[in-house]
């Protein structure tokens, strides 16, 4: 691969630390210590040792290395893989496995020095790559849900302590309020997985040149340090993403005013929402030509350095740049399409144009200052909080409606029971009258 030094990779089923531990055991002990998932992947180890891969770039080694070294000593990728098998719900693991098989078709075709792994020569190599991606995703899911539940538990303890302190004051009468806080904080997050994550993880595996552990830590850097925990949030889902949709619409209005004017506020919101759902959640994977997409990703991975006030701004920047690039097509479609056809036609035109971009294409939008980035980030936050309030209001309404229906069901049941009882009593009374009449007749 371009003269890059070659080196064997460790088996994906174990980290360097766990390998040293296993070597100190006997063969039977080592086999017993492996999880079922690790044993299923063991048949691939000979392939990983026999076929060396190119080293990840310095950028990837730096970002993944910093993320890995920043963890407590007990935090190891091998631990996540081993524990994820038992902890991740089977329905989530099944969905991840399905997404893994679909992900590779959307990846860049050119395995250049910037991205990719040595071309796979047989189906064993392809299966090995699929297994790597699956392990990365379930380990990431386990890490994310564990962290989130730990945060919820800590929040629950703090809320309970605050309520206990408040209840100790003479004027407090907060029993009902305290009970509601406890019930909210006791919720346990089962899954945070979103289908677009499989494409993000596959891109990280490519940038890591097939090095599984490096890809995992690069993905954690992307999810936690660039996109942020609110982007894919679990309650409600995609909270940060919904805020970014509003920021994209505002950015289009200022950076591509002709597009905004031709579409109008309502259609602009519909078009940006449709494109954002496809591009932002997947990092444009499968939507854009290889050259521009790899350039986008190199900028995105350094988003925490390029845009400290808004690390994931790169995604918004490129989406707005694409819409500005489509100004002529927007004018043509907006002038000819029926209202109900406008959004799907513009979406199709945007994808066709994105796939045909030249390798050196970059968004023709000037860099924004820190103050403007902070303004957009605040707008995204405000929009996400508005979405959160709307979500909670709908939850309350649905809960109230459910309680009303349950109450009506109970009342209907009682009414039916009363009618049956009355009918039985009436029948019994009629039989008694008939018997009395029969006995009194001569």
């Amino acid at each position: 691969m371009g003269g890059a030094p070659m080196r064997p990779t460790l088996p994906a089923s174990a980290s360097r630390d766990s390998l040293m531990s296993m070597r100190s055991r006997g063969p039977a002990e080592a086999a017993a210590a492996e999880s079922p998932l690790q044993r299923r992947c063991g048949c691939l180890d000979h392939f990983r040792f026999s076929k060396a891969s190119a080293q990840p770039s310095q950028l990837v080694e730096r970002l993944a290395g910093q993320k890995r070294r920043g963890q407590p000593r007990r935090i190891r990728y091998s631990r996540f893989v081993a524990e994820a098998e038992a902890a991740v719900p089977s329905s989530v693991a099944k969905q991840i496995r399905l997404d893994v098989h679909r992900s590779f078709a959307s990846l860049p075709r050119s395995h250049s020095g910037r991205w990719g792994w040595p071309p796979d020569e047989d189906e064993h190599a392809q299966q090995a790559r699929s297994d790597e991606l699956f392990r990365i995703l379930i380990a990431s899911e386990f890490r994310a849900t564990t962290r989130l539940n730990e945060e919820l538990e800590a929040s629950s303890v703090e809320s309970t302590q605050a309520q206990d302190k408040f209840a100790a004051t003479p004027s407090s009468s907060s029993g009902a309020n305290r009970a509601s806080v406890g019930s909210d904080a006791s919720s346990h997050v089962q899954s945070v997985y979103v289908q677009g994550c499989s494409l993000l993880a596959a891109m990280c595996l490519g940038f890591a040149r097939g090095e599984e552990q490096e890809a995992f830590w690069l993905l954690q850097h992307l999810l936690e340090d660039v996109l942020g925990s609110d982007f894919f949030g679990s309650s409600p889902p995609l909270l940060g993403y919904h805020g970014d949709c509003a920021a994209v619409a505002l950015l289009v209005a200022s950076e591509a005013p002709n597009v905004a004017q031709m579409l109008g506020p309502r259609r602009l919101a519909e078009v940006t929402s449709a494109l954002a759902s496809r591009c932002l959640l997947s990092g444009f994977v499968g939507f854009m030509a290889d050259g521009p997409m790899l350039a986008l990703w190199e900028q995105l991975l350094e988003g925490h350095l390029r845009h400290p006030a808004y690390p994931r701004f790169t995604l918004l920047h490129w989406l707005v740049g694409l819409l500005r690039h489509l100004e002529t097509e927007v004018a043509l479609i907006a002038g000819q399409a029926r209202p109900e056809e406008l959004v799907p036609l513009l979406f199709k035109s945007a994808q066709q144009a994105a796939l045909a971009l030249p390798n050196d294409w970059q968004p023709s939008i000037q860099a924004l200052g820190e103050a403007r980035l902070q303004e957009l980030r605040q707008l995204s936050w405000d929009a996400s909080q508005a979405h959160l309030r709307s979500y909670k209001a709908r939850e309350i309404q649905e809960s109230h409606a459910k309680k009303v229906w349950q109450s009506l069901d109970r009342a209907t049941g009682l009414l039916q029971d009363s009618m049956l009882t009355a009918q039985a009593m009436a029948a019994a009374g009629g039989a008694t009258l008939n018997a009395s009449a029969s006995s009194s007749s001569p």
Side-chain angles (χ1 to χ4, degrees), residues 1-6 54-55:
M1 294 293 291
M6 311 294 279
Q55 292 182 359

Side-chain angles (χ1 to χ4, degrees), residues 392-409:
K392 288 185 174 180
R394 288 196 303 271
E395 274 194 330
I396 293 173
Q397 291 175 351
E398 291 171 359
S399 176
H400 178 69
K402 183 178 180 180
K403 290 178 180 179
V404 169
W405 280 110
Q406 289 174 344
S407 178
L408 288 173
D409 287 341

Side-chain angles (χ1 to χ4, degrees), residues 8 22 32-33 56 69 133 167 209 236 238 244 257 284 301 356 363 389 426 432:
M22 289 175 66
R69 290 189 295 272
L133 183 55
R209 312 307 296 273
L238 308 177
D244 285 354
F284 287 80
L301 290 173
R389 290 191 293 271
T432 302

Side-chain angles (χ1 to χ4, degrees), residues 154-382:
S155 176
S156 175
V157 171
E158 292 175 2
S159 298
T160 302
Q161 291 174 346
Q163 290 295 325
D164 287 341
K165 183 177 180 180
F166 181 70
T169 61
S171 60
S172 83
S173 57
S174 57
N177 185 36
R178 178 179 176 183
S180 65
V181 170
S183 61
D184 290 342
S186 63
S187 58
H188 182 80
V189 177
Q190 295 293 328
S191 175
V192 297
Y193 177 72
V194 177
Q195 286 183 269
C197 286
S198 63
L199 297 174
L200 303 182
M203 285 297 295
C204 289
L205 186 59
F207 274 109
R209 312 307 296 273
E211 295 259 358
E212 183 176 340
Q213 293 190 60
E214 294 295 287
F216 171 79
W217 290 114
L218 185 63
L219 177 63
Q220 302 318 300
H221 161 72
L222 174 65
L223 295 177
E224 298 171 7
D225 305 330
V226 178
L227 297 180
S229 59
D230 65 315
F231 188 70
F232 285 117
S234 61
S235 183
L238 308 177
L239 184 61
Y241 155 78
H242 285 290
D244 285 354
C245 288
V248 167
L250 180 68
L251 197 58
V252 171
S254 62
E255 301 297 328
N258 292 336
V259 172
Q261 184 177 3
M262 286 183 285
L263 293 177
R266 179 181 174 184
R267 295 300 185 193
L268 175 61
E270 292 175 350
V271 170
T272 54
S273 178
L275 288 173
S277 66
R278 174 60 182 86
C279 299
L280 300 190
L281 296 176
S282 64
F284 287 80
V285 179
F287 192 85
M288 183 176 284
D290 291 356
M293 187 175 67
L294 291 174
L296 180 159
W297 266 78
E298 288 169 345
Q299 295 177 21
L300 179 64
L301 290 173
E302 291 193 293
H304 63 304
L305 301 176
R306 297 170 64 92
H307 313 296
Y310 202 171
R312 59 180 184 253
F313 175 72
T314 298
L315 292 173
L316 284 66
H317 182 220
W318 281 69
L319 181 54
V320 175
L322 179 60
L323 279 169
R324 186 171 179 175
H325 178 73
L326 290 170
E327 195 170 283
T328 302
E329 288 82 353
V330 171
L332 181 63
I333 295 173
Q336 296 180 355
R338 293 195 297 269
E340 65 273 14
E341 296 178 341
L342 181 61
V343 174
L345 286 176
L346 282 176
F347 183 92
K348 182 178 180 181
S349 177
Q351 186 170 31
Q352 290 174 342
L355 290 171
L357 291 171
N359 282 334
D360 59 349
W361 186 85
Q362 294 273 338
S364 59
I365 298 177
Q366 294 183 352
L368 302 184
E370 194 71 10
R372 177 60 169 160
L373 287 174
Q374 291 177 350
E375 178 186 344
L376 285 171
R377 184 67 184 97
Q378 185 62 48
L379 172 71
S380 175
W381 171 259
D382 292 341

